Amino acid sequence: MRASALLVALTAWMAVTPMAVGVQLNTRISDPTVDPFYQGPSGFESKPPGTILRQRQINASFFGFIPNPVEAWQLLFRTTAINGSAIAGVTTVFKPAFPQKDRFVSFQTAYDSSSPTCDPSYTYQLGSPQTDLISSLEALILQVYLLKGYIVASTDYEGPDAAFSPGRLEGVGVLDGMRAVSNFYETLGFSTDQPDIVGVGYSGGAIATGWAASLHPTYAPELSIKGWVHGGTPSNLTGTMSHIDNTICSGFIPAAIDGLAKPSAYGAELHAFIDEVFTDEGKSILDYAGSHCAVITLFNFMDKSILSTDIQSLGSDFLYNPGVAAVLAKNIMGVNKTETPTAPAYVYHAANDEIIPYSNATETVKAWCENGANVKFTNFAAGGHVTTEIIAVPSAVEQVDNFFAGNLTTGCTSDEVLSDSLDPLALGLNLEPILAELLTALGNIGDNDSNLKSNASILKDIIS
Ligand SMILES: *[C@@H]1O[C@H](CO)[C@@H](O)[C@H](O)[C@H]1NC(C)=O
Ligand SMILES: *[C@@H]1O[C@H](CO)[C@@H](O)[C@H](O)[C@H]1NC(C)=O
Ligand SMILES: *[C@@H]1O[C@H](CO)[C@@H](O)[C@H](O)[C@H]1NC(C)=O
Ligand SMILES: *[C@@H]1O[C@H](CO)[C@@H](O)[C@H](O)[C@H]1NC(C)=O
Ligand SMILES: *[C@@H]1O[C@H](CO)[C@@H](O)[C@H](O)[C@H]1NC(C)=O
Ligand SMILES: *[C@@H]1O[C@H](CO)[C@@H](O)[C@H](O)[C@H]1NC(C)=O
Ligand SMILES: *[C@@H]1O[C@H](CO)[C@@H](O)[C@H](O)[C@H]1NC(C)=O
Ligand SMILES: *[C@@H]1O[C@H](CO)[C@@H](O)[C@H](O)[C@H]1NC(C)=O
């Protein structure tokens, strides 16, 4: 990333005094596993979901070392584990200098890891070690919303255990994070305690967003949600796992299995089973995934197969073992009619997505539409998974604006985008420097993700 050019551009627009680069980093920040802020205070279990349990101001940053001159807070809030018990989650709220006062964007970043060290609440702080390409890229997209004048909240939706992939846990975490931000309305200067909200997320962030959309009508119907925007959506974990096994992205599979088996997720269902069928090598791969961030985990299990008997004794039957299949089946979006989103959704996906199967996402959209949802769907026909996240930024941002404005098409519509490029002026002159950065990233990734596919070491270049 051309980080210094970015800093100059950002501070210029935000019309605030730029802090010097190379400021002394705040060495007091600590990893979520040892930072007492993350622990629910005694008695928190009896508070209603979304109650703020602790709050603090933080120094927000780009990439951990460039100060982001916006005000930012973190809220510890009460949320709920899969088994119904109380757990504590954290959300980070960013407030630009001249915000709109009756609304915020809930930005689900794709941290895709089962290690609490990779929690976005940690990554966003000045002085935190940076861990992966995904959050660096997405920090730019989050910044687009801030520069448009939206307050943005970004929740550690995987909860206290960093449970990557259990959609129901993540969706509930997102909704309780939204409640916490609404409860923080006085400090944020909102004109209302019922601010309007649009939820956005891509890839791993779309698991959380799609499930929040699904659970909103029953779990948190009081929230004033105006729409959902998600793309590259892993709506069927079985489909995703079989699609990426033995590819450069197979490392997401051990991260997901480790995530599903966390105590706050499906530990009760999976823990003993994993102990029994995983080999020592398999267990060490799960442990690695549970203690490293996404990109490093991908390198560790690149081009390997979870279905190998070197990893677990069931071999190719693994995903269809009744215990595993039962957990995976609970995490398919669109199968339960009561869990159809009531707020409108914009869903987008690359037909050539090499990581998240297109047909699984369109299957969910079809089910939602049959059950009365309003969904606009776009096929980004010329992109791969990562390139589409970038190419689609202007469309996603425009939809967020449309949802807040109540500018909707009702029912279901779909269209296709054939372009594989990004117009750096698509969102106006103000946002041109950020879109130019994204365009550079697009060039590094290559058409249809070709550089990622042919030469995974490009990842190392992009993150350094
Ligand atoms: C933010 O950084 C400044 C300068 O390094 C430091 O004095 C201050 O304590 C930090 N604030 C927080 C909330 O960490
Ligand atoms: C989920 O994906 C699996 C295969 O990967 C498929 O067999 C199953 O039908 C899909 N489920 C739904 C509800 O789409
Ligand atoms: C989901 O994706 C998998 C992997 O590509 C595919 O085998 C399966 O048919 C898809 N399921 C549906 C219902 O589209
Ligand atoms: C229920 O969830 C809590 C919170 O994550 C966990 O500590 C506990 O072990 C779980 N209980 C069972 C029986 O799995
Ligand atoms: C469908 O979803 C609703 C709301 O989450 C839930 O109460 C119900 O048990 C679900 N039905 C099935 C068959 O899982
Ligand atoms: C991306 O891949 C698709 C299918 O393989 C192909 O039709 C399309 O031309 C490719 N686009 C580019 C820019 O290479
Ligand atoms: C409403 O949305 C449509 C489709 O995205 C767009 O073309 C139109 O300009 C929008 N209208 C307003 C008033 O924003
Ligand atoms: C892979 O990328 C690295 C770093 O960009 C470069 O040095 C190397 O030549 C590339 N290898 C291939 C086979 O393209």
Side-chain angles (χ1 to χ4, degrees):
M1 291 284 167
R2 288 175 291 138
S4 53
L6 180 65
L7 172 69
V8 171
L10 290 174
T11 49
W13 308 321
M14 300 187 91
V16 293
T17 316
M19 289 187 245
V21 182
V23 284
Q24 279 219 303
L25 297 183
N26 176 3
T27 50
R28 290 172 306 152
I29 78 159
S30 42
D31 185 285
T33 52
V34 295
D35 184 342
F37 180 81
Y38 288 77
Q39 301 301 319
S42 77
F44 84 93
E45 295 87 350
S46 63
K47 306 285 188 202
T51 301
I52 298 170
L53 307 170
R54 297 184 197 279
Q55 63 188 66
R56 66 180 176 193
Q57 221 162 350
I58 57 143
N59 285 320
S61 76
F62 298 103
F63 320 122
F65 73 98
I66 305 171
N68 182 347
V70 293
E71 281 188 283
W73 291 265
Q74 292 184 329
L75 310 175
L76 183 78
F77 61 87
R78 191 236 129 124
T79 182
T80 308
I82 290 289
N83 68 17
S85 58
I87 51 176
V90 172
T91 190
T92 305
V93 195
F94 303 87
K95 183 186 175 189
F98 303 103
Q100 304 195 56
K101 294 198 163 142
D102 58 352
R103 60 192 64 185
F104 69 93
V105 171
S106 176
F107 185 95
Q108 283 67 249
T109 198
Y111 52 123
D112 294 2
S113 162
S114 285
S115 165
T117 299
C118 319
D119 285 351
S121 59
Y122 184 47
T123 312
Y124 290 141
Q125 293 180 64
L126 189 62
S128 83
Q130 296 297 292
T131 49
D132 71 273
L133 156 74
I134 308 166
S135 13
S136 303
L137 189 65
E138 292 196 339
L140 294 174
I141 302 173
L142 190 157
Q143 194 64 23
V144 169
Y145 292 105
L146 288 174
L147 290 169
K148 285 183 63 75
Y150 292 118
I151 288 175
V152 179
S154 185
T155 296
D156 298 356
Y157 52 76
E158 295 179 2
D161 304 334
F164 168 51
S165 84
R168 291 172 182 280
L169 177 86
E170 299 184 358
V172 160
V174 168
L175 294 166
D176 286 329
M178 291 172 169
R179 286 172 159 156
V181 173
S182 301
N183 289 333
F184 200 56
Y185 72 100
E186 280 182 60
T187 309
L188 290 169
F190 280 136
S191 54
T192 166
D193 62 358
Q194 290 275 296
D196 290 343
I197 309 167
V198 175
V200 306
Y202 191 81
S203 194
I207 301 179
T209 308
W211 277 103
S214 305
L215 300 175
H216 163 229
T218 49
Y219 186 77
E222 83 286 2
L223 291 170
S224 175
I225 293 171
K226 305 305 253 186
W228 303 99
V229 173
H230 54 92
T233 311
S235 57
N236 177 342
L237 296 181
T238 315
T240 303
M241 288 186 189
S242 40
H243 197 57
I244 60 176
D245 192 48
N246 219 348
T247 70
I248 63 165
C249 289
S250 14
F252 285 133
I253 302 175
I257 294 169
D258 191 63
L260 289 165
K262 299 274 182 172
S264 57
Y266 301 95
E269 288 89 336
L270 292 176
H271 205 269
F273 166 81
I274 285 174
D275 249 15
E276 189 191 320
V277 309
F278 272 70
T279 63
D280 287 347
E281 185 188 345
K283 284 176 190 155
S284 92
I285 282 161
L286 294 185
D287 286 348
Y288 191 94
S291 53
H292 292 84
C293 298
V295 172
I296 301 172
T297 297
L298 291 183
F299 276 108
N300 192 50
F301 201 62
M302 191 171 283
D303 296 326
K304 295 194 178 140
S305 175
I306 202 77
L307 304 179
S308 157
T309 48
D310 293 344
I311 306 294
Q312 44 77 27
S313 59
L314 302 174
S316 58
D317 291 338
F318 175 70
L319 295 176
Y320 301 98
N321 164 275
V324 175
V327 167
L328 294 175
K330 287 177 191 156
N331 287 280
I332 301 177
M333 290 175 204
V335 296
N336 179 341
K337 190 174 177 180
T338 315
E339 297 176 343
T340 303
T342 49
Y346 175 54
V347 182
Y348 54 101
H349 212 108
N352 300 314
D353 192 316
E354 75 282 17
I355 303 179
I356 310 299
Y358 180 78
S359 65
N360 293 174
T362 54
E363 187 76 12
T364 292
V365 168
K366 186 164 153 263
W368 283 354
C369 289
E370 281 167 3
N371 292 327
N374 286 341
V375 186
K376 178 179 155 149
F377 177 81
T378 300
N379 167 18
F380 280 82
H385 183 74
V386 183
T387 44
T388 293
E389 175 164 28
I390 299 176
I391 297 165
V393 164
S395 307
V397 170
E398 277 162 22
Q399 278 300 322
V400 169
D401 292 343
N402 280 343
F403 284 150
F404 277 123
N407 175 13
L408 308 174
T409 46
T410 50
C412 287
T413 58
S414 63
D415 63 5
E416 199 168 72
V417 168
L418 297 173
S419 166
D420 60 358
S421 67
L422 174 72
D423 171 7
L425 287 168
L427 296 172
L429 202 53
N430 266 4
L431 289 164
E432 191 270 344
I434 293 205
L435 266 51
E437 289 289 334
L438 290 172
L439 195 59
T440 304
L442 197 59
N444 289 339
I445 295 159
D447 289 343
N448 276 348
D449 296 8
S450 54
N451 293 351
L452 294 186
K453 286 182 214 164
S454 66
N455 183 0
S457 71
I458 195 91
L459 283 172
K460 279 185 175 153
D461 284 357
I462 299 172
I463 59 178
S464 62

